[in-house]
Amino acid sequence: MHHFGFHKFGRTLMTLVAVAISAAMMLSMLSIAEGFREQSMSTIQDSHRDILVQAPGWTGLSDAHALAEELESAPEVAFASPVLVTDTNMMLTLTIHKTNTFKLAVGAGIIPSKEKEFEGEDRKTVIINNFAIEYIDDFQELEDPFADGGIPTRELMINRIFAEANDIQKGDMLGVNGVNFTVSGIFRTSFSQDGSSGVFEDILADTAFIGLHLSELQDLVGLRERDAATFIALTMDESVRSSKTIEDHANALREKYSYFYISSKADRLRDAEERTSLANVFYLAIGSVAVVIGILFLACIMIMSVYERINQIGMMRAIGISRRTIFLQTLEESTILVSLGALLGLPFGYFASEFLGNFIGANIGVSFDLTSFTPQIVVYTMLLIVGLGVLVSLYPAWKACRMDIIKSLRHVG
Amino acid sequence: MSLIELIGVKKLYSMGESEVKALNGVDLSIQQGEFLSIVGPSGSGKSTLLNMIGCIDTPTSGKVLLEGKDISSLGDRELTRTRLRKIGFVFQQFYLLPTLTTLENVELPMKEARVPHAQRRARAEELLSHVSLSNRAGHYPNQLSGGEQQRVAIARALANRPHLILADEPTGEVDSQTTDRIVSLLRDLHSEQGITVIIVTHDLKIADSTDRLVSLNDGRIESDVSHVRTDRGPEPVQSLVEHHKDGPEMITGKDGGGPDMVTGRDENETNRGQD
């Protein structure tokens, strides 16, 4: 089939490059969006926290130990672990004796033995609010002795970034709300990348993220009497653990504890999907701008190509080439151009997404892979670009086939 | 039945508020197998007349009958099909497609007519051989001279075995030597294959080599002269050419070189539109 514009090599190449850049931009944006989504989803998916029991506010649950035991007594539940997470508003302050400086702290109170049961002896990773904490060291005391009137351990775990930024080592003494604690170990989070200086690194270097025994954190923030917790996490017994049993048990808990907010893994996945889809709109918008520019470029080239070949079109019509043939020919030309451009954009898109992923990762300081270059993204991008390319080419194709033969033949370009 | 018959054809164009009469009542009858030229000054309506005959334009009033069928009654699809199957066009600027080879350019109308690949390839090769361009089959138009390009255009015009070849100033862009070759090619087509050939030209030498000369002025047929060919071959009607050089208004059939050489057609029969 004859194509009007392909003999203009430079212009054809320019169009291919424009479409390829659009495709590459769209691909990299989508792969970043998909990377965030996958990360968010897999954290929930991989977690052993099948059901969360919450009440309004950060410390909405009372009698956490007793409630956890009650929840754990159900035969289909393997473990129930109460967790207290404080925020900066709770004015948890940390004193670094060595340098005599004060920092704000965010604390997570857990029962280490419960968490170990949750995540397995070898996992050493705790998920708190979809935030992965990986222990390099461990609590010396795994139970929560202070809760039963025992002696407080006064041990805490501290985030690696904060520890390194403030020259804190294992065994150092720190004051938390005026009470002295020994650093028994270091943990790291998924928001810490070795050697990076991202925004999360900056935040985590300035704000102490600490892990304590649940009852000792309650004591520090004045919630011990109420035995407050942020949530209680449940893991189903392995023998009955399935999406259906999780959902059934969550429904049973909803009936029994109507004043609590019960969320199953599926609920949290749904929430995460909603949260990430909002971010996806943002990435999609950036990618779309690039696509629109590329496609408009293609449309302009096609219109120019048609007007430049008025004589040829006039001749073709005069010798009996039908309008349909000319229409399809113009459309075919743009389809080939846009498809080749999009194909050319694939490798660029892959490398661009890798580059952007590393760049953003290094800047915000995350250790997980920020991009996900999936076949679905490739297919979606190809369909979008080729579809739009064909759509905008309808006009030049229509113009070409409707040209007046005599005027076309007489046209002096 | 005439191959082409124009009856009282008028064509008006709007130029802003004024109207231009490109054709002002033309009556013309062309039989199958004629070799005819249309001459006249610029703006006389030659090309408009050719466009009517070639089914790429329709009259404002009057009738254009092609093989007895009124082209005004045909839709775009039928007109396109008629042009594809029955008419071959040769343009002054050749209009070969630059991205196709010589062979592919010749194949183009056959492809549209859905001629099977092997068949159209063989036909295209045959046609290129006919115009002595077999050795140029794989060349692109920009690798050919003007005369060669025009010969390719003639081969393309012949692709679907048309009844009629319409050549609009076919030698306008070539030198005099090539002109002779192209005219002789067109004449051969006419004499060997009986194809009706109509040439619009400014070149009186070419006009003189045709069997019939229709002269237009101001959208009317001013003269319609047939040459009577003798055994001496296509002897030019020198007196007619001489007259034409002084201006088209001088040409009339009656001023020709004598009844043995030139036959002035019955003006009442062929030039009804002038009245």
Side-chain angles (χ1 to χ4, degrees):
Chain A
M1 183 66 84
H2 161 68
H3 293 110
F4 297 122
F6 288 173
H7 72 295
K8 298 269 184 186
F9 178 75
R11 189 191 299 164
T12 304
L13 191 68
M14 286 276 286
T15 314
L16 285 177
V17 169
V19 175
I21 290 171
S22 308
M25 279 294 285
M26 183 50 116
L27 279 167
S28 50
M29 287 298 118
L30 286 179
S31 77
I32 287 172
E34 181 63 14
F36 271 120
R37 197 191 73 84
E38 271 184 11
Q39 175 61 29
S40 178
M41 304 299 270
S42 68
T43 308
I44 298 167
Q45 196 71 56
D46 296 345
S47 168
H48 277 59
R49 296 172 191 277
D50 295 332
I51 297 171
L52 292 184
V53 177
Q54 291 170 278
W58 284 101
T59 60
L61 288 173
S62 299
D63 299 320
H65 286 81
L67 182 60
E69 263 179 49
E70 186 182 313
L71 291 167
E72 207 177 79
S73 66
E76 56 269 63
V77 175
F79 312 106
S81 173
V83 175
L84 173 64
V85 182
T86 66
D87 64 4
T88 48
N89 292 330
M90 298 186 75
M91 295 305 287
L92 201 65
T93 58
L94 187 138
T95 314
I96 306 164
H97 296 302
K98 268 199 259 185
T99 52
N100 201 25
T101 49
F102 295 90
K103 298 280 181 183
L104 282 179
V106 176
I110 59 170
I111 302 173
S113 62
K114 285 282 181 200
E115 290 302 327
K116 278 213 165 291
E117 283 171 323
F118 256 110
E119 310 294 345
E121 284 294 334
D122 55 337
R123 283 176 65 105
K124 282 200 168 182
T125 301
V126 174
I127 309 290
I128 294 175
N129 289 1
N130 301 333
F131 195 72
I133 295 170
E134 188 192 342
Y135 288 106
I136 301 165
D137 303 296
D138 215 334
F139 286 95
Q140 288 169 9
E141 180 58 64
L142 297 180
E143 297 307 319
D144 192 13
F146 194 34
D148 302 325
I151 304 162
T153 62
R154 302 291 185 228
E155 61 171 335
L156 63 76
M157 306 283 283
I158 196 151
N159 185 19
R160 180 184 62 84
I161 297 168
F162 186 84
E164 283 176 2
N166 294 282
D167 191 26
I168 296 168
Q169 272 104 39
K170 199 172 161 184
D172 282 356
M173 192 78 85
L174 298 174
V176 184
N177 280 13
V179 179
N180 286 340
F181 280 79
T182 307
V183 177
S184 64
I186 308 286
F187 65 81
R188 63 174 168 227
T189 68
S190 53
F191 285 90
S192 57
Q193 194 179 42
D194 287 334
S196 82
S197 55
V199 286
F200 286 120
E201 297 264 328
D202 294 342
I203 293 167
L204 291 173
D206 201 48
T207 305
F209 188 21
I210 54 175
L212 298 101
H213 287 276
L214 173 64
S215 55
E216 290 181 51
L217 181 61
Q218 286 175 337
D219 194 48
L220 284 172
V221 292
L223 294 170
R224 189 164 164 240
E225 207 166 306
R226 195 157 69 80
D227 189 12
T230 309
F231 61 87
I232 296 174
L234 273 65
T235 295
M236 303 298 282
D237 194 274
E238 279 300 331
S239 61
V240 293
R241 195 165 179 246
S242 71
S243 313
K244 189 180 179 310
T245 53
I246 293 171
E247 206 51 52
D248 288 347
H249 193 67
N251 285 335
L253 291 177
R254 281 184 194 112
E255 274 182 31
K256 192 172 175 188
Y257 304 101
S258 57
Y259 39 91
F260 290 148
Y261 174 65
I262 315 283
S263 61
S264 65
K265 201 176 248 188
D267 295 328
R268 280 177 290 140
L269 285 171
R270 229 176 354 258
D271 287 349
E273 187 80 61
E274 274 174 27
R275 276 199 308 275
T276 50
S277 67
L278 204 67
N280 285 358
V281 170
F282 171 73
Y283 290 115
L284 205 63
I286 296 176
S288 299
V289 171
V291 168
V292 165
I293 292 169
I295 293 298
L296 282 179
F297 191 90
L298 171 83
C300 291
I301 292 293
M302 288 309 297
I303 290 171
M304 206 189 294
S305 177
V306 164
Y307 277 99
E308 269 183 2
R309 282 154 191 82
I310 288 179
N311 291 144
Q312 287 180 24
I313 295 168
M315 174 281 288
M316 289 172 77
R317 292 284 293 124
I319 68 168
I321 308 294
S322 66
R323 281 182 173 155
R324 184 173 171 272
T325 302
I326 289 170
F327 180 84
L328 291 177
Q329 203 168 288
T330 314
L331 215 55
E332 188 186 280
E333 178 177 338
S334 64
T335 307
I336 290 172
L337 260 181
V338 76
S339 304
L340 282 177
L343 274 176
L344 196 69
L346 284 185
F348 286 118
Y350 177 77
F351 291 119
S353 67
E354 285 293 304
F355 171 78
L356 277 175
N358 290 336
F359 180 78
I360 296 171
N363 275 279
I364 63 173
V366 291
S367 59
F368 54 83
D369 192 1
L370 265 174
T371 57
S372 176
F373 203 81
T374 63
Q376 286 92 329
I377 287 175
V378 172
V379 170
Y380 175 81
T381 305
M382 289 293 287
L383 286 178
L384 180 78
I385 291 187
V386 174
L388 283 176
V390 171
L391 197 70
V392 299
S393 302
L394 288 174
Y395 174 70
W398 182 82
K399 272 303 236 193
C401 78
R402 304 300 299 186
M403 274 181 186
D404 182 86
I405 302 174
I406 297 164
K407 282 182 189 161
S408 304
L409 286 171
R410 284 184 185 160
H411 178 81
V412 180
Chain B
M1 183 177 62
S2 303
L3 176 66
I4 299 149
E5 184 142 23
L6 281 78
I7 305 165
V9 169
K10 287 187 181 178
K11 183 69 185 179
L12 307 179
Y13 289 112
S14 300
M15 299 274 277
E17 285 180 8
S18 61
E19 275 191 338
V20 176
K21 290 178 181 171
L23 292 177
N24 191 12
V26 171
D27 295 297
L28 184 66
S29 178
I30 300 167
Q31 305 303 315
Q32 176 67 48
E34 284 201 63
F35 187 48
L36 175 149
S37 58
I38 300 170
V39 294
S42 294
S44 59
K46 303 186 297 289
S47 293
T48 306
L49 180 61
L50 199 74
N51 291 338
M52 296 282 171
I53 297 169
C55 295
I56 55 178
D57 203 357
T58 48
T60 309
S61 66
K63 279 184 177 178
V64 178
L65 305 176
L66 181 69
E67 293 178 336
K69 203 179 268 183
D70 185 359
I71 66 159
S72 303
S73 66
L74 303 178
D76 179 75
R77 198 174 288 184
E78 285 159 307
L79 288 172
T80 304
R81 202 176 301 141
T82 303
R83 290 196 298 271
L84 180 70
R85 307 272 181 186
K86 296 183 176 170
I87 303 168
F89 282 89
V90 179
F91 305 95
Q92 182 177 355
Q93 291 93 348
F94 329 129
Y95 292 140
L96 299 179
L97 296 179
T99 51
L100 300 186
T101 62
T102 301
L103 193 69
E104 289 164 342
N105 265 291
V106 179
E107 280 186 74
L108 191 67
M110 292 187 274
K111 206 169 178 180
E112 180 69 11
R114 301 191 197 289
V115 175
H117 182 263
Q119 226 171 301
R120 68 169 186 256
R121 176 98 342 161
R123 170 87 177 139
E125 282 166 357
E126 178 198 325
L127 288 167
L128 281 180
S129 159
H130 193 80
V131 296
S132 308
L133 284 173
S134 293
N135 58 336
R136 299 292 218 170
H139 288 65
Y140 287 91
N142 62 1
Q143 297 170 308
L144 305 178
S145 69
E148 285 172 328
Q149 287 189 56
Q150 195 60 295
R151 275 145 65 199
V152 175
I154 291 170
R156 180 182 63 192
L158 292 168
N160 285 329
R161 302 177 199 278
H163 304 173
L164 174 66
I165 294 278
L166 300 177
D168 191 359
E169 300 279 3
T171 57
E173 305 260 317
V174 295
D175 57 43
S176 59
Q177 220 175 348
T178 312
T179 297
D180 292 343
R181 193 160 184 187
I182 285 167
V183 173
S184 132
L185 186 62
L186 290 171
R187 172 160 279 290
D188 289 348
L189 287 173
H190 157 253
S191 55
E192 288 167 14
Q193 298 176 32
I195 298 172
T196 308
V197 178
I198 301 175
I199 304 173
V200 163
T201 183
H202 275 106
D203 189 333
L204 296 176
K205 205 174 146 204
I206 295 172
D208 187 48
S209 69
T210 61
D211 298 342
R212 183 176 166 195
L213 194 152
V214 175
S215 175
L216 281 180
N217 198 17
D218 286 338
R220 292 167 182 267
I221 292 181
E222 199 173 54
S223 71
D224 184 350
V225 183
S226 289
H227 301 192
V228 174
R229 296 197 169 275
T230 65
D231 291 342
R232 285 173 291 169
E235 197 173 317
V237 189
Q238 201 55 44
S239 57
L240 179 72
V241 173
E242 291 303 322
H243 276 300
H244 203 265
K245 275 177 182 165
D246 297 334
E249 68 284 357
M250 297 297 287
I251 302 175
T252 64
K254 287 160 193 163
D255 289 341
D260 56 331
M261 296 293 286
V262 177
T263 303
R265 291 213 161 193
D266 181 356
E267 295 248 327
N268 293 328
E269 190 187 325
T270 57
N271 294 344
R272 272 172 286 182
Q274 291 185 38
D275 299 325

